[in-house]
Amino acid sequence: MVERRAGWPHRLGLAILALGLGLMAGCSRPAPPTNLLFITLDTLRSDRLGVYGYDRPTSPNLDAFAAESVVFTDATASIPTTLPSHVSIFTGLPVYRHGIRRNGQVPKQPLHTIFTLLNDQGRATAGIVAAKVLDGRFFGTDAGFDELIWEPGGEGIWQIRAASVNEKAAAWLDQHAADPFALWLHYYDPHEPYDPEPEWAEPFTGDYQGPLPAAMSVEALSALNLENGTADLTERDLRYIDDLYDAEVAYLDHHLGEVLAMLDTHGVRDQTVVVMVADHGQAHGENRHDYWGHGQFLVEPSIKVPMLIHVPGRAARTVDIAVENLDLMPTLASIFELDTADDLPGRDLGPAMIGETMPSKRVRVSERRTWRKHPDRLGVAIHGGDWKLTYFGTQKNHTYHLGRADGEGGIDGEDFFSPDGPEAAQITRLLDRIEASARAVDDTPLDAETRAALEALGYL
């Protein structure tokens, strides 16, 4: 389905933009970039990429992109669930401000995003998404997209591969690359199920002859979280599941190389800011919960994300300070010289991107998804750098866990929690805001198509 934003008069906006760029060209201050290509990478762990230290050949194209970009080595997602994380990324708001905590939830208030600002300045805008959970119904009419394109190519299909996203991106750029644009591309391949095509799987799975199938379905991966769900699997079997995930990442990386080449084809690489960021990561059982997946527990593999920004004319750089993916909204607004609300909690990372000193965020907040029938079942993590305090439960029944980087098992391992500690006071204040936000949930009934999609993708 293609959702269109009705009636925006682009010609006036583009004329104003062109005049502004022309005037700035005569000044010493460089003009802001013309275009934005915003790429979100669903369910991509940062530690499965060469640029983040992985030793398997999963990401040659992304690594090459990183070599000319600013790479943030310590970025955290606001929530490890697709729709609410994208809302935070695009609006710059934490979950307790925008209130979206699950896929299938319809915003009660308009979502003013970075695309709203760029569209209002005259750019053609579009989003091309790879999963039903991000179709136009869940962003509303004020999110800034002239078009929000979800075209599955058949009934009962709830996700599409990177090749299909690229086909649609190529067609859109053929029509719009000659004028200022802002394009969002969403890729879903590392998400469950793990079903890479054989030519992509074989270099990673090798001669595996175990009991697991050539593809791991959503149901099979979810079953790993049942009691004794991995009891009958060997280390080689578990590595095979990792292999399938790595193959999906390699397939995605190949198509990222293709879409970046499209910028060269149209001659707009030097006018285009390119962002690559994951909405969340994916746990593979390497934590105290033996948890596989994302959304339920706030363990590091599910909330640590790759985040890279390329700005034409700026030097490549590695930035090691702690950041959040909601910092992208104010950062991009600054790059494009756009005005944002004064109360955004995210930071403009521009100074760090040019080598100036910026402190790490004192604390970062991640929430877990909620469920329609249990909106009071909350989960939140406060990340303080070398410590992380996690809360799960309801007001009547809850647990805390304080992990330290130097403790046994790392920050998701040994528990140091004390109700008298300073971290407990921080999370108590935060929970008051989170619980108030959670009580204002949206109870719009799910239509049959959305329910079927959420069930197939493992969200119900």
Side-chain angles (χ1 to χ4, degrees):
M1 180 194 301
V2 180
E3 303 282 345
R4 298 183 184 274
R5 193 181 190 205
W8 178 253
H10 279 295
R11 291 184 180 177
L12 176 60
L14 291 173
I16 294 172
L17 177 63
L19 176 62
L21 293 176
L23 291 173
M24 280 189 260
C27 304
S28 59
R29 184 176 182 179
T34 306
N35 310 313
L36 172 65
L37 177 60
F38 202 130
I39 297 175
T40 57
L41 308 165
D42 213 300
T43 322
L44 182 60
R45 295 171 57 132
S46 57
D47 64 359
R48 295 304 176 90
L49 305 173
V51 63
Y52 286 91
Y54 201 40
D55 59 1
R56 303 185 90 187
T58 56
S59 55
N61 290 293
L62 201 150
D63 296 345
F65 171 76
E68 56 185 29
S69 304
V70 177
V71 178
F72 294 90
T73 64
D74 189 8
T76 301
S78 297
I79 182 170
T81 299
T82 298
L83 172 62
S85 183
H86 278 83
V87 173
S88 285
I89 290 169
F90 291 156
T91 64
L93 296 175
V95 177
Y96 59 83
R97 289 275 299 273
H98 62 66
I100 306 299
R101 288 185 170 83
R102 55 176 171 78
N103 292 330
Q105 191 172 354
V106 178
K108 286 188 172 182
Q109 304 295 329
L111 298 177
H112 299 296
T113 73
I114 184 63
F115 291 91
T116 306
L117 301 178
L118 292 169
N119 188 265
D120 287 348
Q121 201 183 55
R123 290 171 176 82
T125 57
I128 300 171
V129 303
K132 167 68 176 174
V133 295
L134 291 179
D135 78 10
R137 176 173 182 247
F138 305 121
F139 282 92
T141 59
D142 294 321
F145 298 106
D146 293 327
E147 303 173 87
L148 194 50
I149 301 167
W150 159 243
E151 294 177 345
E155 188 173 349
I157 297 175
W158 312 120
Q159 64 183 67
I160 59 175
R161 288 199 177 273
S164 296
V165 175
N166 281 9
E167 289 175 7
K168 296 171 176 58
W172 193 89
L173 287 168
D174 284 345
Q175 293 185 353
H176 298 283
D179 297 314
F181 67 83
L183 175 63
W184 166 37
L185 300 179
H186 166 246
Y187 294 90
Y188 202 67
D189 301 275
H191 193 283
E192 301 96 323
Y194 300 167
D195 57 349
E197 297 168 353
E199 61 267 32
W200 290 99
E202 186 175 350
F204 294 93
T205 59
D207 59 353
Y208 175 75
Q209 299 295 324
L212 297 178
M216 293 291 290
S217 67
V218 171
E219 293 77 11
L221 288 164
S222 297
L224 298 174
N225 292 311
L226 300 176
E227 187 174 0
N228 298 320
T230 60
D232 296 330
L233 300 181
T234 66
E235 289 188 11
R236 181 65 186 96
D237 296 333
L238 296 176
R239 178 66 219 187
Y240 172 73
I241 301 173
D242 271 346
D243 293 341
L244 292 176
Y245 178 84
D246 287 351
E248 294 278 27
V249 175
Y251 169 84
L252 167 64
D253 177 80
H254 172 78
H255 290 86
L256 292 177
E258 286 187 348
V259 80
L260 290 173
M262 294 178 197
L263 299 179
D264 294 320
T265 298
H266 290 283
V268 295
R269 176 80 77 112
D270 291 341
Q271 295 85 48
T272 303
V273 174
V274 181
V275 175
M276 291 198 193
V277 65
D279 58 346
H280 55 77
Q282 182 82 331
H284 274 187
E286 64 283 81
N287 48 73
R288 71 182 188 277
H289 301 287
D290 296 325
Y291 175 59
W292 293 74
H294 58 273
Q296 173 80 352
F297 294 109
L298 299 170
V299 293
E300 292 297 281
S302 71
I303 63 173
K304 289 271 288 189
V305 295
M307 192 168 99
L308 307 91
I309 307 175
H310 173 71
V311 181
R314 293 196 189 180
R317 195 176 306 278
T318 298
V319 175
D320 295 325
I321 62 171
V323 302
E324 297 174 279
N325 57 7
L326 59 74
D327 293 329
L328 284 168
M329 164 59 153
T331 301
L332 289 171
S334 176
I335 291 170
F336 285 97
E337 300 184 357
L338 306 168
D339 292 329
T340 63
D342 293 333
D343 62 344
L344 285 181
R347 297 192 300 173
D348 171 14
L349 302 176
M353 293 176 62
I354 58 173
E356 295 181 8
T357 300
M358 287 185 71
S360 290
K361 280 204 162 181
R362 188 171 61 86
V363 294
R364 293 165 285 171
V365 178
S366 297
E367 292 191 45
R368 77 168 174 186
R369 79 169 71 123
T370 57
W371 289 262
R372 290 177 62 85
K373 293 183 179 180
H374 304 285
D376 62 334
R377 287 176 53 191
L378 302 178
V380 60
I382 295 183
H383 209 308
D386 61 351
W387 60 268
K388 183 172 73 175
L389 179 60
T390 308
Y391 164 97
F392 290 119
T394 67
Q395 287 184 329
K396 294 181 179 180
N397 183 18
H398 53 258
T399 61
Y400 294 90
H401 179 275
L402 177 63
R404 298 197 181 279
D406 57 358
E408 183 179 352
I411 210 159
D412 287 326
E414 185 178 1
D415 187 9
F416 295 88
F417 179 73
S418 167
D420 300 323
E423 301 90 354
Q426 290 189 53
I427 208 164
T428 297
R429 291 191 295 270
L430 180 63
L431 280 170
D432 290 339
R433 300 188 68 178
I434 290 173
E435 288 168 349
S437 170
R439 285 193 292 270
V441 296
D442 171 63
D443 294 321
T444 304
L446 294 176
D447 59 76
E449 183 182 43
T450 300
R451 175 172 290 279
L454 295 178
E455 287 177 346
L457 297 173
Y459 289 112
L460 288 180

